[in-house]
Amino acid sequence: MFALDILQAALFAAALILLTPPLGLYMALVLEGRWRFLAPVETAIYRLCGIRELREMSWRQYTGALIAFNVIGLAVLLAILMGQGFLPLNPQNLPGMKFFLALNTAISFVTNTNWQAYSGEAALSYFSQMAGLTVQNFVSPAVGVAVMLGLIRGFVRRTGTTVGNLWADLVRSVLYILLPLAILFAIVLAGQGVVQNLSGYVTATTVEGAQQAIPMGPAASQIAIKQLGTNGGGFFGVNSAHPFENPTPLTNFLELLAIFLIPASLTYTFGIMVGDRRQGWALFGAMFILFLAGFTASWWAESQPNPITHVPINMEGKEQRFGVMNSVLWSTVTTDASNGSVNSMHDSLSPMAGMVAMLNIKLGEVIYGGVGAGMYGMLMYVLLTVFIAGLMVGRTPEYLGKKIEAREVRLAVIALFVPSGLILVAAAIASSIPAGLSSLANAGPHGLSEILYAFASALGNNGSAFAGLTVDTPFYNLMLGAGMLVGRFIVIIPALMIAGSMVRKTAAPPSPGTFPTNTPLFAVLLVSVILIVSALFFLPALTLGPISEHMVMLQGRTF
Amino acid sequence: MKSILTDYLVALRAIVVFTVLTGLAYPLAMTGLAQALFPQAANGSLIGPAAQPAGSALIAQKFTAPKYFWPRPSASDFGAVPSGASNQGFTSAKLAAAVEERRAALGSNAPSDLLYASGSGLDPHISPEAAEYQVARVAEARQLPPELVRHLVAAATEGPQFGFLGQARVNVLLLNRSLDALK
Amino acid sequence: MSASKTDYSQLIPAAIRDSFLKLDPREQVKNPVMLVVFLGAIWTTITLFTSFSGFNLQIALWLWFTVLFANFAEAMAEGRGKAQANALRQARTQTMARRLRNGAEERVASTELRKGDLVVCEANDPIPADGEVIEGVASVDEAAITGESAPVIRESGGDHSAVTGGTRVLSDRIVIRISADPGAGFLDRMISMVEGARRQKTPNEIALGILLVSITVLFLFAVFTLPAFSAYSEQAAGQQGVVNTSAPVLVSLLVCLIPTTIGALLSAIGISGIDRMIRRNVIATSGRAVEAAGDIDVLLLDKTGTITLGNRMATSFHPAPGVEERQLAEAAQLSSLADETPEGRSIVVLAKDLHGLRARDFHPSHVDFVPFTAQTRMSGINIKVDDHGAPMTTRCIRKGAAEAIRQEVERQGGKFPSQVRNAVEAISKAGGTPLVVAEGVTVLGVIHLKDVVKGGIKERFSQLRKMGIRTVMITGDNPTTAAAIAAEAGVDEFMAEATPEMKLQRIRAEQAEGHLVAMTGDGTNDAPALAQADVGVAMNTGTQAAREAGNMVDLDSNPTKLIEVVEIGKQLLMTRGALTTFSIANDVAKYFAILPAMFAALYALKPGAPGPLAALNIMGLHSPESAILSAVIFNALIIIALIPLALRGVAYRATGASQVLLRNIIIYGLGGVIAPFVGIKLIDMLLVALHLA
């Protein structure tokens, strides 16, 4: 049993490491327009949209276009969600979403968070799922890739002041990467039992004679991109725990892999773009260390029986076909990446495994992280690490030959620290007022964990939840909606500003006096900075949440 | 100002194009393909007559009669629209009470998966141990030799997929239907 | 000045006094991290009036100590600079000057002198202001600024014409054209630099400041959201008032978490960096220049004086066929008797060393000395008497470049032996300078003149290479000679037959590739390159133009010092990085002291019993009060403990970046995690022993 679990975890890691170079190379080729085998389609899209794909943009223009794209995307999605009652493909005749919930949902999908304050099968028409959510499932990771590309260009370009063309980056991300992978994946999922149809819900007469409504819908096509695009918003309420979303151990393995696949490969793409693959592997390595540490800790914690109920195996909130290992592997992976889909209920995780999930998010979604977002988030930590370490070797810190100065430090700390600060402020507000406390499903320290997790998830653009918390209330819809927006753009805008200032700097050639950022030492250092700067910051709150819960659990106390 | 306006116009056109491409063409093409290649799987793995399905092989049903194997506890009481979990944490008094209640009903040695509710509330499987734990009760209720019931359980048991993925499990609905089919 | 040792018996009392003066809020505002501690100390002190306890009093006192210790660190660093400034100021006392106006001399106060004025200085006159010697030559005592007691020569024309106000003429008479208005002189700039070092923040200091402030703000959030979470927890536990979130406790937690160690020492580190430069007699015009020195990756070094001893030296004699070496040596010595150049003198010395030949004295009427001219390219002697003073056929001995001698010999019908030609070529190829000696039509042989590379310079360059710094030797020599010396000295590249314009071009080319370049120079024609270089160190003996163009002046005029300048720059950045790492790493232990203390009673099963979170007290600290107090005391004392390190700078070793990084991470990162665990535990034990907690 244990041996099989180890084997599966090792297979997952091996598949990830093996797939990273080929996919990374492919992405480097297509994203920079060096391999355009779909040129006719690509060009047709440019002409239809009025895109002048060769026009280079400054960071301001790039950011402006990106904001325009998100504003329009948000407005269109909001309209679809609220107006689904009047739109086609609504066999269950579901009414339009209420404003607060629709707003929260629209923000959630546009920001690649995919926080769900609703249950898909009970609240959304097929049209909303397809033309609304699936579209954002494709374009929100594409936005992440575009921001990452802009930032990388800031580092690698030696002349000029521009960072690329946003529209071309978006179109290429969708057309060459997300869409082909999603098509392949959707077919495999449908073959394993994930529903893919436009029929109305089926009412079955059960063996014992009761009536049971069985939901239907175009799920496979959405789940494929939900995993690949680190979106995480389930077609059904219980997400990938649902047998129709994740019917077999094989789909579970592939869906897990799909979460990490693109973010991990982007480290390799990064290595190619900067002209030194070891730069990419160093980041991959740092991410892998954090992933492995989190997974090991979670698995260990989850393998300890609950001393209160004395049930030997912690199957509460988990599915029999997956078991404990596959559930904690998922809870680690989905919070490392800003995916947020779940195949077990995080609210029912042991206190320490729940804390690891929460901490993964609070580190800023950089352990592979969201598609594109993980890379640019990690690069913010890299700047910080290079700054501190660079001073220690006695030189003005530089990364990839470009100096890190006051402006970059300021922007990087804004991107890294503002979300962290806001998580605590928002959680402090919610834990002090009735509107926040009345939504709790669990009392005692676990209730505080639910609140902390919710705001971490929103500001980290993760989307998973300690789902017991009732979040479809005006207070939480608004607070979390605002959190998701801030969490997304407080990183994107500084990242692009850094791209803008970096691209203008002359690059210094490397010398033995520059400290290398492509070594295991750097990866370890990066991990240390992430843990010391971010994890320590949350320690007081975590002490009163999950750590207290763990301690009272050992005392046998319930709430 | 003009360039900002241009951005928004391009953005609008881009959203429309992406909606057509990824929101309509892609899912509809996938639907067509899935319906052609895997009609059974893509339509919910329904069992029984098409006009009057008896459920989905992937969705748990509620069983309370002693003559049936019982599935894992469901926080949503096997309601599929929407489904749901208990979301109770380790120090939850409700969870402790629910486990005690189940222990009282099932016996103190009941396997973990019968004491703890599933994540989806629709988990179609139980562990082989949980099936074995119920063999005596079902055999007695059906007045069948336990060996025969055990035989059916074995037939309904799936090992890990390809021998190494996931866990061994027994599909409760299919097992119960095979029991009913004995008559 | 450099010789003066720091007098701690005066420095420390002054620094203690300044620590209190710096409690002025206007001073505190300048350092945001310490401002938070300052405000926290005030807040805690105010709460003493509403809820007095021994614990709160001790916390308040230690918070004030923390602020004072930070002030003390800064005052110590400033104090060392002040002592130097005072010494300089004494040199700047007002003097009378003898101004020349329309040919007449008038006495005016030195403060009345303006740029362009001409003044006369004779023996024992102080030089009233910065200027350039336009007439005469004099020996000048520059001890006031260089600390060097030996006088230096200052003369009109050439590269040794600049004089500095505050120095003193020891002999002779010079006329000086004043080049600086009062208050804008070199000495004034030095004083303001030494005193005002802390006023200008360097780019890295600004960037680090931003990081430190951000971390501080972040921890403000972490600490001040804690009352809300604590209130929730008390409610959940059903225990009201068991978590102590009073001001002294929250402020303690905050002060322990924010980077006070580096915050307190940051300005001291910067000041002492400049101070270390000054101690090595290098005056930087800005802190920015000191910092840039650490970033240098290309050094342009003049061959002469930096890599080689100033001059070529004769090292061997190579006689022509049929000529005794002793005969060649004698002729060579004779031909060099009047040659006062170092090369000439080295020939005389070599002949004496190798063959015991004493330099002879001739009566001026017995010999004609033939000086070197650009046309003849040779020099020599015509001797009209023999050893006993009796007249004889005049011996015409010449030494010079091979080509010149060949032409001269052949013109007179002599022959230039091929063996000599070979010897000349061999010497040239080896980077030496061949001088051929001939007597009449007979070629006697060749003297090998060689550039002597300074001892230890090769090792120095290999260290630089490990640090990632490329050395480029600049020389006017031909490529062959240059290559040989470059190989011997171990420089990475060389520029032969270099002109000042080529130097400038080279600097621009290196900079275009992203390199940061440092160079030294002294001549007026070096000025553009000095200005273009990222770090330009002008020699104090150099011209005024060169001193204005560079961003550092080396008072010792020692070009090798450039290497030390780079090291000081690196050390400055390393010290900041190391203490930042140390400061942040300290937080781990402080959490384990304070958090269990705050939450010790929470979720206790019985009132009064320890709660489950007391298990986090892994250091086994005596009580919640002693734990918090120990952490705060440790946090304050560590500032004092690290002041010497801040002033001295972390140990610097010339190794690659990776080794330096690893070493510093182990010492300051890992050490920073471990040290406070030990320190806090010891303080806790001491507090218990003293019954203070």
Side-chain angles (χ1 to χ4, degrees):
Chain A
M1 200 49 220
F2 183 67
L4 265 191
D5 283 342
I6 292 280
L7 175 69
Q8 292 177 71
L11 271 175
F12 172 76
L16 186 69
I17 294 168
L18 289 177
L19 287 172
T20 291
L23 184 60
L25 175 65
Y26 169 78
M27 290 195 289
L29 291 176
V30 297
L31 286 174
E32 286 290 63
R34 284 192 276 168
W35 189 23
R36 301 178 65 212
F37 60 93
L38 294 174
V41 187
E42 192 186 336
T43 314
I45 295 174
Y46 292 150
R47 296 297 85 83
L48 281 171
C49 302
I51 294 167
R52 287 184 292 148
E53 71 275 16
L54 297 177
R55 188 176 75 100
E56 280 286 327
M57 296 175 168
S58 69
W59 81 264
R60 280 174 201 281
Q61 292 166 325
Y62 201 86
T63 311
L66 187 145
I67 289 172
F69 185 67
N70 280 308
V71 167
I72 297 285
L74 187 68
V76 169
L77 183 52
L78 189 63
I80 290 176
L81 293 175
M82 293 181 72
Q84 65 177 6
F86 308 101
L87 291 165
L89 292 171
N90 185 7
Q92 300 310 117
N93 293 315
L94 293 164
M97 253 189 190
K98 293 277 186 296
F99 174 74
F100 283 130
L101 181 57
L103 181 66
N104 178 287
T105 306
I107 291 173
S108 165
F109 278 75
V110 167
T111 57
N112 195 247
T113 310
N114 305 41
W115 173 266
Q116 294 173 293
Y118 62 92
S119 213
E121 63 270 45
L124 289 182
S125 74
Y126 297 160
F127 187 86
S128 294
Q129 297 267 26
M130 286 161 48
L133 303 186
T134 302
V135 174
Q136 284 300 331
N137 278 355
F138 274 98
V139 298
S140 65
V143 165
V145 171
V147 173
M148 181 202 78
L149 288 175
L151 184 56
I152 295 176
R153 289 185 191 121
F155 285 115
V156 299
R157 287 198 174 170
R158 292 297 185 252
T159 52
T161 57
T162 58
V163 296
N165 181 297
L166 176 86
W167 305 114
D169 291 338
L170 290 180
V171 170
R172 285 178 187 151
S173 302
V174 170
L175 194 60
Y176 289 98
I177 300 168
L178 297 166
L179 197 53
L181 286 173
I183 289 171
L184 284 178
F185 193 26
I187 292 296
V188 175
L189 289 177
Q192 286 286 305
V194 177
V195 293
Q196 178 71 23
N197 57 53
L198 300 173
S199 324
Y201 296 176
V202 171
T203 303
T205 306
T206 67
V207 172
E208 284 199 340
Q211 299 289 302
Q212 186 185 32
I214 297 175
M216 292 288 154
S221 58
Q222 182 166 338
I223 290 156
I225 190 61
K226 140 198 149 183
Q227 298 302 96
L228 286 165
T230 58
N231 294 288
F235 193 88
F236 302 106
V238 291
N239 214 304
S240 281
H242 199 288
F244 277 173
E245 281 209 37
N246 191 5
T248 65
L250 176 65
T251 57
N252 190 67
F253 184 83
L254 294 177
E255 287 183 24
L256 264 175
L257 195 57
I259 298 176
F260 267 0
L261 184 63
I262 296 179
S265 302
L266 281 173
T267 62
Y268 195 86
T269 308
F270 170 76
I272 291 181
M273 287 181 68
V274 303
D276 176 4
R277 288 165 206 219
R278 298 203 313 162
Q279 296 283 1
W281 283 120
L283 300 188
F284 184 100
M287 293 169 171
F288 195 80
I289 293 170
L290 287 166
F291 154 67
L292 203 61
F295 169 62
T296 312
S298 292
W299 192 13
W300 175 82
E302 206 61 21
S303 302
Q304 312 300 311
N306 181 337
I308 297 168
T309 60
H310 301 290
V311 178
I313 307 171
N314 292 317
M315 287 300 289
E316 180 70 23
K318 298 188 182 66
E319 298 286 291
Q320 175 59 29
R321 59 194 178 284
F322 308 138
V324 170
M325 194 287 294
N326 274 311
S327 299
V328 287
L329 181 57
W330 190 298
S331 74
T332 313
V333 167
T334 195
T335 49
D336 280 344
S338 75
N339 182 272
S341 65
V342 295
N343 79 343
S344 71
M345 295 304 120
H346 290 189
D347 219 351
S348 297
L349 285 172
S350 60
M352 287 297 104
M355 181 169 88
V356 170
M358 201 188 302
L359 200 54
N360 283 338
I361 301 173
K362 286 175 172 171
L363 295 184
E365 295 296 14
V366 294
I367 311 173
Y368 299 108
V371 169
M375 272 299 301
Y376 63 72
M378 189 52 129
L379 285 172
M380 298 295 116
Y381 274 119
V382 166
L383 294 185
L384 211 58
T385 306
V386 164
F387 183 75
I388 295 171
L391 288 180
M392 271 200 286
V393 303
R395 266 177 80 117
T396 296
E398 58 194 41
Y399 185 56
L400 301 173
K402 296 202 171 181
K403 287 209 175 345
I404 313 298
E405 291 166 296
R407 177 179 161 87
E408 290 77 46
V409 170
R410 182 183 296 122
L411 292 168
V413 295
I414 287 175
L416 291 174
F417 292 176
V418 172
S420 299
L422 290 181
I423 289 171
L424 286 194
V425 172
I429 294 171
S431 59
S432 306
I433 62 171
L437 295 170
S438 61
S439 288
L440 295 185
N442 286 265
H446 192 69
L448 187 58
S449 301
E450 285 184 342
I451 294 175
L452 284 168
Y453 196 104
F455 287 103
S457 180
L459 278 143
N461 290 153
N462 181 274
S464 66
F466 277 7
L469 190 70
T470 309
V471 288
D472 185 13
T473 65
F475 172 77
Y476 278 107
N477 275 333
L478 280 177
M479 288 280 281
L480 294 167
M484 289 185 277
L485 271 182
V486 172
R488 177 82 161 169
F489 289 99
I490 202 70
V491 189
I492 282 183
I493 293 174
L496 288 174
M497 288 173 82
I498 289 175
S501 70
M502 279 291 169
V503 77
R504 288 161 192 275
K505 297 190 186 197
T506 45
S511 81
T514 1
F515 101 89
T517 53
N518 57 5
T519 60
L521 174 65
F522 179 73
V524 171
L525 200 60
L526 181 58
V527 168
S528 318
V529 167
I530 293 172
L531 289 180
I532 295 239
V533 172
S534 290
L536 275 188
F537 168 66
F538 287 106
L539 199 56
L542 292 176
T543 305
L544 292 176
I547 295 175
S548 283
E549 187 189 354
H550 180 78
M551 295 296 187
V552 298
M553 174 190 85
L554 294 178
Q555 286 188 321
R557 189 161 170 192
T558 60
F559 293 88
Chain B
M1 192 60 222
K2 185 161 170 284
S3 77
I4 292 176
L5 194 66
T6 316
D7 277 345
Y8 280 81
L9 282 176
V10 173
L12 187 59
R13 288 158 79 173
I15 286 288
V16 171
V17 170
F18 280 131
T19 302
V20 172
L21 184 67
T22 64
L24 296 173
Y26 159 72
L28 294 177
M30 290 301 104
T31 307
L33 215 52
Q35 291 295 327
L37 294 173
F38 321 107
Q40 170 65 13
N43 285 319
S45 309
L46 297 177
I47 49 179
Q52 184 72 46
S56 161
L58 295 176
I59 303 289
Q61 288 184 3
K62 187 173 184 175
F63 287 99
T64 50
K67 64 173 181 166
Y68 286 120
F69 282 88
W70 296 336
R72 298 188 53 196
S74 165
S76 59
D77 200 25
F78 303 95
V81 183
S83 51
S86 75
N87 284 311
Q88 293 302 308
F90 267 45
T91 55
S92 157
K94 274 187 211 160
L95 178 67
V99 168
E100 279 322 299
E101 201 179 302
R102 288 165 198 153
R103 271 215 180 92
L106 294 167
S108 58
N109 294 323
S112 307
D113 56 316
L114 290 181
L115 295 173
Y116 274 157
S118 67
S120 60
L122 301 172
D123 190 346
H125 302 111
I126 54 176
S127 65
E129 297 75 37
E132 172 60 34
Y133 189 76
Q134 302 184 55
V135 163
R137 184 195 75 230
V138 173
E140 195 191 330
R142 289 187 177 259
Q143 310 222 314
L144 289 170
E147 283 319 305
L148 177 61
V149 177
R150 213 163 262 132
H151 179 73
L152 289 176
V153 168
T157 302
E158 298 170 66
Q161 207 170 3
F162 313 121
F164 61 87
L165 280 180
Q167 301 203 114
R169 56 207 185 275
V170 180
N171 187 307
V172 178
L173 177 57
L174 298 184
L175 175 60
N176 283 336
R177 278 172 60 90
S178 72
L179 277 170
D180 281 349
L182 279 177
K183 282 175 271 180
Chain C
M1 183 181 68
S2 62
S4 69
K5 273 216 174 130
T6 312
D7 182 1
Y8 286 102
S9 66
Q10 285 186 0
L11 199 51
I12 291 177
I16 292 175
R17 195 192 62 231
D18 286 352
S19 311
F20 285 93
L21 294 180
K22 281 173 184 284
L23 288 176
D24 184 338
R26 285 167 300 183
E27 283 287 318
Q28 294 294 322
V29 167
K30 290 176 192 162
N31 184 339
V33 177
M34 294 314 295
L35 178 66
V36 170
V37 184
F38 181 69
L39 294 176
I42 292 175
W43 187 19
T44 310
T45 309
I46 291 171
T47 53
L48 284 179
F49 294 102
T50 53
S51 55
F52 184 86
S53 70
F55 170 73
N56 288 357
L57 176 65
Q58 289 189 68
I59 292 286
L61 283 175
W62 280 104
L63 290 175
W64 283 115
F65 281 137
T66 309
V67 177
L68 287 170
F69 291 168
N71 292 349
F72 179 71
E74 195 178 67
M76 278 291 285
E78 285 171 352
R80 303 210 302 187
K82 264 187 198 150
Q84 285 156 345
N86 286 338
L88 290 170
R89 229 181 242 115
Q90 281 166 7
R92 207 185 46 174
T93 47
Q94 207 187 46
T95 54
M96 295 307 280
R98 295 156 61 184
R99 183 163 65 183
L100 283 177
R101 195 156 265 189
N102 307 325
E105 219 174 88
E106 56 181 0
R107 294 187 74 83
V108 296
S110 59
T111 47
E112 306 216 332
L113 293 172
R114 290 291 176 273
K115 223 170 168 171
D117 285 352
L118 298 181
V119 295
V120 177
C121 288
E122 278 179 298
N124 285 327
D125 280 347
I127 293 175
D130 289 5
E132 192 143 359
V133 181
I134 56 166
E135 194 187 314
V137 53
S139 59
V140 178
D141 173 12
E142 293 195 338
I145 54 168
T146 64
E148 182 66 54
S149 55
V152 294
I153 302 295
R154 290 285 178 262
E155 57 190 335
S156 63
D159 289 345
H160 299 284
S161 61
V163 290
T164 308
T167 59
R168 178 178 295 274
V169 174
L170 291 177
S171 69
D172 304 292
R173 174 182 188 273
I174 45 175
V175 177
I176 301 165
R177 182 189 293 123
I178 301 300
S179 61
D181 288 335
F186 184 63
L187 212 50
D188 301 296
R189 290 214 312 270
M190 264 177 76
I191 292 169
S192 71
M193 184 64 211
V194 172
E195 280 195 318
R198 70 207 148 99
R199 307 285 168 244
Q200 318 145 328
K201 284 192 174 165
T202 61
N204 279 319
E205 207 174 349
I206 293 169
L208 181 56
I210 289 169
L211 178 62
L212 297 180
V213 170
S214 309
I215 292 176
T216 303
V217 172
L218 198 58
F219 280 118
L220 276 170
F221 282 115
V223 170
F224 288 104
T225 52
L226 213 43
F229 300 137
S230 301
Y232 172 92
S233 302
E234 287 176 344
Q235 184 81 35
Q239 302 164 287
Q240 292 309 315
V242 292
V243 180
N244 184 349
T245 50
S246 65
V249 172
L250 288 183
V251 171
S252 297
L253 179 61
L254 179 65
V255 166
C256 284
L257 294 180
I258 63 176
T260 48
T261 313
I262 178 68
L265 298 174
L266 190 58
S267 67
I269 295 169
I271 296 168
S272 60
I274 290 169
D275 184 59
R276 279 197 295 279
M277 285 280 190
I278 293 169
R279 270 153 198 276
R280 284 176 179 73
N281 269 357
V282 177
I283 307 292
T285 54
S286 69
R288 183 184 284 259
V290 179
E291 210 173 74
D295 290 342
I296 290 306
D297 55 359
V298 176
L299 282 186
L300 296 192
L301 298 167
D302 278 322
K303 181 198 78 176
T304 307
T306 309
I307 295 170
T308 62
L309 295 171
N311 306 290
R312 285 170 296 194
M313 312 275 274
T315 55
S316 58
F317 298 110
H318 302 263
V323 178
E324 290 282 315
E325 184 176 327
R326 189 184 163 84
Q327 191 187 345
L328 168 63
E330 191 209 5
Q333 192 184 47
L334 288 170
S335 70
S336 304
L337 284 179
D339 185 349
E340 282 299 315
T341 64
E343 288 90 344
R345 264 176 270 149
S346 79
I347 294 170
V348 174
V349 170
L350 185 71
K352 183 177 155 199
D353 288 352
L354 290 180
H355 300 285
L357 296 166
R358 291 270 205 91
R360 281 186 287 172
D361 280 329
F362 288 103
H363 190 275
S365 65
H366 293 166
V367 292
D368 290 332
F369 290 111
V370 181
F372 179 88
T373 67
Q375 283 78 35
T376 60
R377 291 197 292 152
M378 48 188 186
S379 60
I381 189 169
N382 297 335
I383 308 172
K384 292 173 270 185
V385 295
D386 67 9
D387 290 356
H388 310 291
M392 62 167 195
T393 326
T394 302
R395 292 176 70 188
C396 299
I397 303 172
R398 295 289 181 274
K399 74 166 197 287
E403 194 53 29
I405 297 288
R406 186 186 64 80
Q407 282 173 12
E408 177 68 13
V409 168
E410 286 175 356
R411 189 177 59 80
Q412 295 179 28
K415 203 169 153 281
F416 197 82
S418 62
Q419 287 90 335
V420 172
R421 194 185 310 272
N422 291 343
V424 165
E425 273 170 24
I427 291 168
S428 295
K429 206 159 276 169
T433 307
L435 278 184
V436 179
V437 182
E439 182 165 353
V441 297
T442 316
V443 176
L444 296 176
V446 193
I447 310 169
H448 186 168
L449 290 180
K450 199 173 160 186
D451 265 317
V452 179
V453 171
K454 284 185 175 174
I457 200 90
K458 190 161 189 168
E459 291 69 37
R460 209 77 190 261
F461 289 153
S462 93
Q463 284 178 358
L464 287 174
R465 197 168 304 118
K466 279 191 211 137
M467 287 154 59
I469 296 170
R470 194 152 46 87
T471 44
V472 180
M473 182 182 84
I474 313 280
T475 172
D477 293 341
N478 64 54
T480 318
T481 311
I485 296 169
E488 191 179 341
V491 295
D492 298 294
E493 287 169 44
F494 62 87
M495 274 177 80
E497 292 168 352
T499 61
E501 295 71 43
M502 285 168 67
K503 244 194 236 184
L504 183 61
Q505 281 166 8
R506 176 64 180 250
I507 293 173
R508 290 203 171 125
E510 297 281 2
Q511 286 172 337
E513 284 172 31
H515 294 289
L516 276 102
V517 185
M519 68 165 287
T520 58
D522 53 4
T524 301
N525 53 16
D526 283 332
L530 279 173
Q532 178 72 36
D534 300 283
V535 172
V537 183
M539 301 294 104
N540 190 43
T541 54
T543 59
Q544 196 63 33
R547 297 201 323 196
E548 294 285 341
N551 48 13
M552 289 187 199
V553 174
D554 178 14
L555 300 176
D556 296 340
S557 303
N558 170 11
T560 321
K561 210 182 275 168
L562 195 48
I563 296 166
E564 285 173 50
V565 167
V566 170
E567 289 177 358
I568 293 169
K570 286 198 178 294
Q571 212 183 15
L572 174 66
L573 297 186
M574 280 165 58
T575 308
R576 283 198 201 121
L579 290 182
T580 303
T581 308
F582 185 85
S583 198
I584 298 172
N586 271 204
D587 282 3
V588 180
K590 292 171 188 166
Y591 267 130
F592 279 102
I594 297 183
L595 290 183
M598 283 181 77
F599 305 135
L602 194 62
Y603 294 114
L605 291 176
K606 294 192 300 262
L613 289 166
L616 295 177
N617 180 11
I618 54 174
M619 283 179 274
L621 302 178
H622 174 71
S623 67
E625 287 77 19
S626 76
I628 295 172
L629 205 47
S630 304
V632 172
I633 293 173
F634 176 85
N635 193 58
L637 292 182
I638 198 74
I639 295 173
I640 289 288
L642 290 173
I643 288 176
L645 182 69
L647 297 184
R648 193 179 63 232
V650 305
Y652 178 77
R653 280 178 200 181
T655 45
S658 292
Q659 290 100 300
V660 173
L661 182 63
L662 192 59
R663 190 185 129 86
N664 284 336
I665 286 174
I666 289 171
I667 297 177
Y668 299 101
L670 215 55
V673 173
I674 295 164
F677 277 104
V678 179
I680 291 173
K681 177 69 187 171
L682 289 176
I683 293 170
D684 181 74
M685 288 161 66
L686 195 66
L687 287 178
V688 173
L690 296 174
H691 301 288
L692 285 171

